[in-house]
Amino acid sequence: MEAATAPEVAPGSTLKVKEASPADADLPQASPQRGAGSPTPQLLPPIEGGSPSPALSFHHSEHPKIWLPRALRQTYIRKAGDTVNLLIPFQGKPKPRAIWTHDGCALDTSRVSVRNGDHDSILFIREAQRADSGRYQLSVQLGRLEATATIDILVIERPGPPQSIKLVDVWGSRAALEWTPPQDTGNAALLGYTVQKADTKSGLWFTVQERCHRTSCTVSNLIVGNSYAFRVFAENQCGLSETAPITADLAHIQKAATVYKTKRFAQRDFSEAPKFTQPLADCTTVIGYNTQLFCCVRASPKPKIIWLKNKMDIQGNPKYRALTHLGICSLEIRKPGPFDGGIYTCKAVNPLGEASVDCRVDVKAPN
């Protein structure tokens, strides 16, 4: 605590003359210097064998004065549970009487203790509570003279939590929140609110905004596919509230639906009759060796493929295996014999027409 060194009455300290009372009759009286409007000085009893002398009455006396430390000239703020220990220097001879009051009333001696010395007074509170806040006045009295000093003490603590929080809206990757202020601000001005989010997968809380001065906010950059809960703390000079309300509803961040634009042009018609883009090729094979025939066809809609041998349908004959994939048509002749030679035809048919290709297959004996 900073002690004042200037030998003058500090701001907030006043000196006044009290009205005379019977209780003051026995006290030696100090007086301000004579001037216009000053009361007549009270002289000490004359010394035996001499005449009264005003100079002797003030030789060993001092007017009461209080030096208020600089730190106490503005509101003195302490946290709940902290110790308050104020030392206030003063002067006055003979020893003046020091009296403390709290908001104009006597101190609660069960909570506040005072020690008065010859040149200072100490106000002590072991564990400050919010009820100890208020205006304290020190009065230093010497006869009818009195000096006073006023100290404003404010005891603060952490605020209560906001009363509620609500999920207002969810769109895209954002969520809008609103809440109501706390009922108890902790005896201090709020510095703002801290907003946190937690996704249901991890359950971990992360701060998304600090010192928010409004009672609403928008949380951005939420991850698609996650669901989020939110909570909000109030904050003052002592710190964050001990608890925080949590949103009753979860914010589900969903993937935005794909929007298809209306086509402004007529869709092209890709329908066409069958057309072979790769014909069958003549081939010569050996008895007993599997042989494959290939050709390629294009058609829309998809055509029906029919295989013929010497103009006879061979569909379902186990000697042949026919496949069609992505317009490629194949026919496997399994272990051909001397009578499997001839003209093979591949015919493609759809509602728009038909087409066909031929090839000759010769089967010869092995050398």
Side-chain angles (χ1 to χ4, degrees):
M1 183 179 297
E2 180 182 355
T5 58
E8 58 184 22
V9 180
S13 173
T14 60
L15 176 65
K16 61 183 178 180
V17 180
K18 295 172 57 182
E19 294 294 333
S21 64
D24 299 329
D26 297 331
L27 294 174
Q29 302 296 319
S31 168
Q33 295 181 357
R34 184 184 297 273
S38 297
T40 304
Q42 298 289 324
L43 303 182
L44 293 175
I47 299 176
E48 185 177 353
S51 59
S53 170
L56 293 176
S57 3
F58 301 105
H59 187 66
H60 296 293
S61 66
E62 290 179 348
H63 294 173
K65 290 183 181 179
I66 299 175
W67 284 279
L68 192 61
R70 189 183 306 276
L72 302 180
R73 296 177 192 175
Q74 55 190 3
T75 301
Y76 183 66
I77 300 177
R78 302 296 286 169
K79 295 181 181 179
D82 286 355
T83 297
V84 175
N85 189 15
L86 305 181
L87 184 146
I88 313 299
F90 60 76
Q91 76 168 30
K93 287 187 179 180
K95 178 181 177 180
R97 181 184 180 195
I99 301 174
W100 285 90
T101 59
H102 178 201
D103 291 335
C105 302
L107 298 180
D108 180 1
T109 55
S110 65
R111 296 203 35 76
V112 185
S113 59
V114 171
R115 185 195 68 78
N116 292 325
D118 292 339
H119 304 291
D120 55 49
S121 180
I122 297 175
L123 178 78
F124 181 78
I125 305 174
R126 184 174 299 278
E127 293 183 358
Q129 298 178 2
R130 284 169 60 174
D132 296 322
S133 300
R135 175 158 289 187
Y136 289 77
Q137 186 176 68
L138 172 62
S139 173
V140 176
Q141 301 172 0
L142 187 59
R144 288 187 301 150
L145 298 177
E146 179 184 33
T148 61
T150 301
I151 304 168
D152 290 318
I153 296 179
L154 181 64
V155 180
I156 63 176
E157 59 186 355
R158 290 200 283 181
Q163 297 181 62
S164 64
I165 182 173
K166 181 173 63 174
L167 178 65
V168 178
D169 194 12
V170 178
W171 72 100
S173 61
R174 299 179 180 180
L177 307 171
E178 288 182 356
W179 58 87
T180 51
Q183 290 182 333
D184 181 10
T185 63
N187 216 24
L190 291 181
L191 299 177
Y193 300 92
T194 295
V195 182
Q196 295 183 338
K197 69 177 180 181
D199 65 81
T200 53
K201 294 179 181 179
S202 68
L204 301 177
W205 290 99
F206 297 93
T207 298
V208 293
Q209 284 200 28
E210 291 182 308
R211 298 278 176 97
C212 176
H213 297 292
R214 297 177 308 216
T215 55
S216 63
C217 78
T218 298
V219 181
S220 305
N221 300 322
L222 301 176
I223 299 175
V224 172
N226 283 0
S227 298
Y228 292 88
F230 302 91
R231 66 183 182 183
V232 59
F233 294 85
E235 183 180 5
N236 67 6
Q237 190 174 341
C238 285
L240 299 178
S241 55
E242 293 186 2
T243 59
I246 301 175
T247 50
D249 300 323
L250 294 176
H252 304 287
I253 310 303
Q254 299 176 348
K255 185 176 181 179
T258 304
V259 178
Y260 294 96
K261 295 182 180 180
T262 303
K263 296 180 180 178
R264 298 181 181 178
F265 55 90
Q267 186 173 2
R268 182 180 174 184
D269 186 4
F270 292 97
S271 299
E272 65 175 319
K275 179 180 179 182
F276 282 91
T277 58
Q278 180 69 37
L280 292 172
D282 295 340
C283 69
T284 301
T285 184
V286 177
I287 295 174
Y289 288 88
N290 290 353
T291 299
Q292 286 188 326
L293 307 178
F294 292 97
C295 61
C296 295
V297 67
R298 185 178 68 213
S300 180
K302 183 178 180 181
K304 178 181 179 182
I305 303 299
I306 303 171
W307 285 92
L308 307 170
K309 176 193 173 187
N310 297 329
K311 299 183 180 181
M312 299 293 294
D313 190 345
I314 57 175
Q315 301 291 113
N317 189 327
K319 189 173 187 68
Y320 304 99
R321 182 187 181 198
L323 296 175
T324 302
H325 180 65
L326 298 178
I328 300 174
C329 306
S330 65
L331 179 70
E332 182 180 12
I333 306 172
R334 298 175 176 175
K335 297 182 178 180
F339 302 103
D340 290 325
I343 303 299
Y344 285 82
T345 302
C346 180
K347 181 186 290 188
V349 181
N350 76 358
L352 299 179
E354 66 178 53
S356 63
V357 288
D358 301 327
C359 73
R360 173 177 290 277
V361 176
D362 293 325
V363 179
K364 65 178 182 177
N367 294 330

